[in-house]
Amino acid sequence: MAMLYNSHPLLITDLEAWVRPDSRRERDHAVSLLDRLHIFTTTSEPGQPRAYTLTNPFAASLRLALTGGGNHHSFGVPCNTPDKHSIDIDFLDAFARTQWEGILHYMVGTTGTGLQVSGKGATPSAKTLLQNGKLVGKHGSKAEITKKGFSFLLQEVNAQVWALLVIYLETADNLNMDPVEVLSFLFMLGSLELGQDYSTRTLTSTQTQMLDDLSDYGIVYRRSQSSTRFYPTRLATTLTSDAGALRSVSAGFDSALRSGDGKGFIVIETNYRIYAYTSSPLQIAVLALFTRLSTRYPNMVSGRISRESIRRAIGTGITSDQIITYLTTHAHPQMRKNTPILPPTVVDQIRLWQIEGERMKSTVGLLFKDFATLEEYMAPCQYAEEIGVLVWKNESKRMFFVTRHEQVASFLKRNSKEARKGA
C-alpha cells in the first residue's frame, strides 16, 4: 500500500528497513510470490540502486477499486429496495450449514464404514463437482470416497470450501464459463457483508450461472432462479479472511471436524481405548475412519484403535500424522491437562503401524546439479535451506533437492545478473 500512491520505485534498501532481520524467509517468499503474479517488478538502471515498482495495470485497478471509481462493481451492488421476505443472519447460517453438511453427509456415506448419516444429501451439481475433483469415485452405480476425499474430510471448513472452489474454477471451461469472471466473482463474494442483499442485475451471464451452483454449496442464498437479489452466507464472507477469523467462524458450524461447543470431546487411554462424547453423526463417522467402534450411547461412543483400523485408514490415504493431529485437536479438556496431551505409547504405535507398510517415501521436487564451483553451489543451497524447501544435499557431488524450485530459480537468476554486472 505504501507503493500504491508513490510515483517513485521503492528501493530494495528501503524495503530491508521495514523487515526484521529474522524474517528474511517470509520477505523472500512474499517478493517471489508478488513477482510471479506480476504485481510488481524489479527495476535496475545504470548507476542507480535496484528497486521495486508496481505494474501499471495492477496499480491502476487497485486505486480504482479503493476509491470506488468506475463501473466495475468490485464490492457488489446492494439492493435499494427492502426484501418482502425478511432474511436474517440466523437463517443464512442455518442454510449454509444444511447445504454444506449435505455434502459431508454424502461423502461420509461413501466411506464404507457401514455408518449411514442422516440429513439432507448433496445436490446433483455438488455430486458432479466431487467426482470431477476426484474426491469421490464412481464404480458402476456405486460412489466411493477416494484418498483425496479422506484428506478433504480432515480439513477445517474454510479449507474445504476453498478446495471445492478451486475444483469449480478448474472445471469452468467445461461449463462454458470464463475462468477470469469466475475468480473475480469469488473474490467479490469475500468482500461482501453478511446479511446484506445484493442485486443480480449487474452480474454477467457467467456470474449469474454461478449463483445456482454456489447456492447448492451453501455459499450464497437465492430464493429462486428468477430472483433479482442474492445473499452471501458466512461461508462466502470469510473466503478472504485471515486464519484466526476462519477458525472462529467455522467453529459455528457443527461439522465433522468440530464439536458443537468448541471444546474437545475425545478421551484416549494407554490401552488404546477411545471414548468420544458426541452425538454428531458426522463426528462419529470421521472417527470410524480409523477406529473400531464397539458401543454407542445417546451422547457417547466408545471403541478401540487397533492395528487393523489404522492400517485400513492408511490404506485409504489417511496418514498417521493426520490421525494424531485430529486426536490432539479434539482432545477432551481432561486430556489437555496432561503433558503431552496424548499418551506417548499410543502416538508412537500409530506411527509404527504406518511405518510397517512403508519402506520408501517419495517426495516430488527438483534436483539442482552441475555447479561449476563449490561457492556457486553453496549460495543457492543455503538459500533453499533458509526458506525451508531443501530436502537433501550432497556437497561432494554439488547437488541438492528441493520441494519447490521457483524461489531458488529466481535466486539463481538474480545472482547471475549481479555476476554479469560485476564482470
Side-chain angles (χ1 to χ4, degrees):
M1 295 301 292
M3 300 170 62
L4 187 58
Y5 292 98
N6 189 351
S7 58
H8 301 289
L10 176 67
L11 297 179
I12 292 182
T13 53
D14 292 341
L15 178 63
E16 293 288 344
W18 297 350
V19 181
R20 289 176 6 193
D22 58 346
S23 299
R24 179 183 175 186
R25 179 187 301 181
E26 290 77 6
R27 178 207 62 194
D28 289 345
H29 176 71
V31 168
S32 175
L33 186 62
L34 292 171
D35 185 53
R36 295 202 307 270
L37 293 174
H38 303 288
I39 291 177
F40 70 42
T41 57
T42 304
T43 60
S44 180
E45 297 180 3
Q48 298 293 330
R50 293 173 63 216
Y52 295 122
T53 180
L54 287 175
T55 58
N56 286 331
F58 175 82
S61 298
L62 183 56
R63 283 194 292 266
L64 190 64
L66 291 175
T67 56
N71 57 357
H72 47 79
H73 307 302
S74 299
F75 303 105
V77 178
C79 291
N80 52 17
T81 58
D83 193 347
K84 295 179 181 178
H85 306 279
S86 179
I87 300 294
D88 57 16
I89 294 178
D90 290 338
F91 174 85
L92 294 174
D93 283 347
F95 172 78
R97 183 183 300 109
T98 300
Q99 297 297 101
W100 191 254
E101 288 194 346
I103 295 175
L104 297 182
H105 287 166
Y106 171 72
M107 295 187 68
V108 168
T110 66
T111 57
T113 58
L115 289 175
Q116 295 300 320
V117 183
S118 60
K120 183 177 178 180
T123 62
S125 66
K127 292 179 181 179
T128 301
L129 190 65
L130 293 174
Q131 293 172 20
N132 290 339
K134 295 181 172 51
L135 301 178
V136 172
K138 202 76 170 175
H139 301 279
S141 59
K142 183 181 179 182
E144 292 182 359
I145 193 169
T146 63
K147 293 182 179 181
K148 189 176 179 181
F150 279 113
S151 298
F152 177 86
L153 279 179
L154 294 178
Q155 293 175 345
E156 63 173 331
V157 173
N158 194 266
Q160 291 175 341
V161 173
W162 265 116
L164 214 60
L165 291 179
V166 168
I167 297 171
Y168 186 82
L169 182 61
E170 291 173 347
T171 59
D173 287 333
N174 298 333
L175 300 173
N176 297 321
M177 292 181 175
D178 183 357
V180 175
E181 288 192 15
V182 172
L183 189 59
S184 173
F185 188 59
L186 293 179
F187 281 122
M188 186 193 80
L189 289 176
S191 67
L192 302 184
E193 180 182 351
L194 182 64
Q196 173 66 52
D197 53 339
Y198 294 86
S199 175
T200 63
R201 301 185 189 280
T202 58
L203 302 181
T204 65
S205 58
T206 293
Q207 294 169 345
T208 303
Q209 182 182 347
M210 287 178 63
L211 286 179
D212 295 331
D213 295 329
L214 297 181
S215 179
D216 289 341
Y217 315 147
I219 296 175
V220 299
Y221 171 75
R222 190 184 185 194
R223 187 171 295 105
S224 65
Q225 292 186 355
S226 60
S227 177
T228 58
R229 67 182 74 217
F230 72 94
Y231 293 82
T233 68
R234 200 178 298 272
L235 293 178
T237 57
T238 58
L239 283 174
T240 54
S241 300
D242 58 22
L246 298 182
R247 283 194 289 270
S248 62
V249 170
S250 61
F253 294 94
D254 297 327
S255 68
L257 305 180
R258 300 201 170 268
S259 57
D261 56 3
K263 297 180 180 178
F265 60 94
I266 296 175
V267 174
I268 185 167
E269 299 176 338
T270 53
N271 59 1
Y272 308 105
R273 292 286 300 176
I274 191 167
Y275 305 90
Y277 294 88
T278 179
S279 57
S280 167
L282 283 172
Q283 290 172 345
I284 295 171
V286 171
L287 199 61
L289 299 178
F290 54 85
T291 306
R292 182 171 60 83
L293 299 179
S294 56
T295 309
R296 182 168 183 174
Y297 299 100
N299 65 339
M300 186 191 78
V301 294
S302 65
R304 181 187 294 273
I305 290 179
S306 65
R307 179 180 182 275
E308 290 72 23
S309 66
I310 296 297
R311 296 291 298 156
R312 184 187 68 233
I314 291 171
T316 55
I318 301 176
T319 66
S320 59
D321 288 337
Q322 285 178 320
I323 295 173
I324 293 167
T325 300
Y326 180 85
L327 293 173
T328 303
T329 302
H330 302 287
H332 192 277
Q334 284 295 119
M335 295 285 294
R336 295 188 176 278
K337 296 179 181 180
N338 304 328
T339 304
I341 296 175
L342 300 181
T345 53
V346 175
V347 173
D348 293 341
Q349 189 60 62
I350 291 175
R351 289 200 170 103
L352 286 173
W353 281 329
Q354 176 170 348
I355 293 173
E356 283 181 5
E358 294 182 355
R359 296 297 179 264
M360 295 183 64
K361 180 182 178 182
S362 62
T363 302
V364 178
L366 193 71
L367 179 68
F368 285 82
K369 61 179 183 177
D370 297 332
F371 291 96
T373 64
L374 183 61
E375 291 74 16
E376 184 182 329
Y377 157 82
M378 290 299 298
C381 183
Q382 290 176 355
Y383 176 74
E385 190 170 8
E386 289 176 359
I387 63 176
V389 299
L390 181 68
V391 176
W392 171 86
K393 63 180 180 179
N394 188 318
E395 291 187 12
S396 60
K397 295 183 179 180
R398 300 173 189 169
M399 301 166 61
F400 64 91
F401 186 85
V402 296
T403 53
R404 295 185 64 87
H405 68 277
E406 293 87 354
Q407 291 174 255
V408 180
S410 298
F411 179 84
L412 287 170
K413 288 180 181 178
R414 290 198 299 269
N415 279 9
S416 177
K417 289 181 181 178
E418 292 174 359
R420 286 198 297 268
K421 289 179 182 179

